[in-house]
Amino acid sequence: MGKILVGTASWTDKSLLASGWYPPEASTPEARLAHYASRFPLVEVDATYYHPPARRTAELWRERTPDDFTFNVKAFSLLTQHPTRPDALHKDLRAALGGRPKRTLYQRDLPPEVVEEVWDRFLSALVPLHEAGRLGALLFQFPPWFPPGVSNRRYLLRCRDRCRPMRICVEFRNAAWMDDAHRADTLDFLAAHDLPYVCVDMPQGHPSSVPPVLAATSDLAVVRLHGHSKKWASKVIEERFGYLYGEDELRGWAERIARLSERAAVTHVLTNNCCGDNSQRNAARLAELLGAAR
């Protein structure tokens, strides 16, 4: 069994802060991150999907966590072919577009040199974490309109190469990648190119639903548990992720993750049912179960 790190997606969302999970003395960003890092060895930064990070922010994360703490960082929306608000771009890049930008932008709407600058700034901001050995992987979560095909496989390789020496992991939100017709080819492709596959647990029956297939396609395996909210399509985050895994579910996942970890050097497990302290409670219990399984 390889090394297993368990953590949560985010440590600053509003419902968590209101839940009472943090003690009263953890009243500043520095104190909250220190408290979180004293309980978990891994965290996923999701805010970077909405706004590119600042280098100084990455420096503060580095300074406020132990040497063996690990950050996974979600890729900026523009880089994963999601719609992006113009105000999420740096001011000078917005100015370079000229005129009034659309309400949302895609890569195809921007000149290639602007896209390259977005890549450069996103990656350079994370150098402090990478150099300190605190950066685990960059999470590239692709949208439902990103189906399997030659051009999209080529884009996966571009993302991998563009991020080097930082590494990426890949999560799909188009079920075709993992249906019976494509699953073997998808996993073989990822393994052949040393791309970690992000295994997911999520509500089924939606256009974005991917089945809960656990597979190791690199020395790093990643599992993200999104829960099973009946309001998965909601625009309200607390409704979309408002789910608390029960004991039997966690025991089942601990068994599956333990078997997965036998095929990887390191396995990252992240609970993303971020509503109140659900994610923290489930991650803590899952870590206990995995520790008992070792």
Side-chain angles (χ1 to χ4, degrees):
M1 189 183 296
K3 184 177 183 180
I4 303 174
L5 303 181
V6 180
T8 72
S10 175
W11 71 97
T12 60
D13 54 281
K14 292 179 180 179
S15 66
L16 174 62
L17 298 183
S19 72
W21 185 77
Y22 285 108
E25 60 270 20
S27 59
T28 65
E30 179 177 5
R32 284 191 286 268
L33 181 53
H35 179 80
Y36 177 95
S38 72
R39 282 151 178 77
F40 298 103
L42 170 72
V43 77
E44 179 182 286
V45 183
D46 285 347
T48 47
Y49 170 82
Y50 302 99
H51 290 276
R55 186 184 182 98
R56 180 54 184 157
T57 301
E59 291 173 345
L60 291 173
W61 291 339
R62 177 195 63 196
E63 294 167 6
R64 294 170 176 175
T65 50
D67 291 344
D68 59 351
F69 191 79
T70 299
F71 290 88
N72 283 0
V73 177
K74 195 170 185 179
F76 181 46
S77 58
L78 193 80
L79 307 181
T80 51
Q81 303 190 14
H82 282 86
T84 300
R85 298 190 309 274
D87 62 5
L89 298 176
H90 292 88
K91 186 176 180 179
D92 62 316
L93 297 184
R94 294 200 305 271
L97 299 179
R100 182 169 183 158
K102 299 178 181 178
R103 199 175 85 180
T104 56
L105 298 167
Y106 292 83
Q107 274 197 38
R108 63 178 178 267
D109 300 319
L110 305 179
E113 61 272 18
V114 172
V115 175
E116 287 305 305
E117 188 65 21
V118 172
W119 273 107
D120 286 343
R121 296 188 190 189
F122 177 78
L123 295 173
S124 64
L126 298 173
V127 166
L129 287 181
H130 176 69
E131 291 182 341
R134 310 280 180 84
L135 184 62
L138 304 178
L139 170 63
F140 276 72
Q141 182 191 87
F142 292 96
W145 53 88
F146 189 87
V150 173
S151 62
N152 285 342
R153 287 187 175 193
R154 194 176 297 128
Y155 189 71
L156 294 178
L157 297 182
R158 167 166 163 70
C159 293
R160 179 203 62 180
D161 295 343
R162 192 66 176 78
C163 292
R164 282 176 170 163
M166 303 175 194
R167 74 181 312 175
I168 74 170
C169 57
V170 177
E171 178 176 341
F172 299 114
R173 286 294 175 89
N174 182 305
W177 287 93
M178 296 302 289
D179 65 16
D180 291 341
H182 297 93
R183 182 180 303 169
D185 286 343
T186 295
L187 296 177
D188 287 347
F189 172 81
L190 295 175
H193 296 284
D194 194 28
L195 284 166
Y197 172 65
V198 178
C199 317
V200 296
D201 182 46
M202 64 190 302
Q204 299 298 296
H206 300 272
S208 62
S209 297
V210 172
V213 175
L214 268 66
T217 56
S218 181
D219 62 326
L220 171 67
V222 182
V223 179
R224 299 182 80 227
L225 304 178
H226 299 294
H228 291 273
S229 170
K230 297 184 183 301
K231 297 181 179 181
W232 180 251
S234 174
K235 301 295 184 182
V236 180
I237 296 297
E238 290 77 15
E239 293 181 348
R240 182 176 173 85
F241 295 104
Y243 186 83
L244 182 68
Y245 284 89
E247 180 69 12
D248 289 345
E249 290 177 290
L250 293 176
R251 287 183 179 276
W253 273 104
E255 292 176 4
R256 297 184 68 191
I257 291 166
R259 291 195 296 269
L260 174 68
S261 73
E262 295 173 356
R263 307 194 297 273
V266 180
T267 300
H268 289 180
V269 182
L270 292 144
T271 53
N272 189 39
N273 51 329
C274 297
C275 176
D277 62 353
N278 288 359
S279 189
Q280 281 67 26
R281 291 166 61 190
N282 282 161
R285 180 56 181 152
L286 192 53
E288 290 177 353
L289 293 170
L290 286 165
R294 297 181 69 83

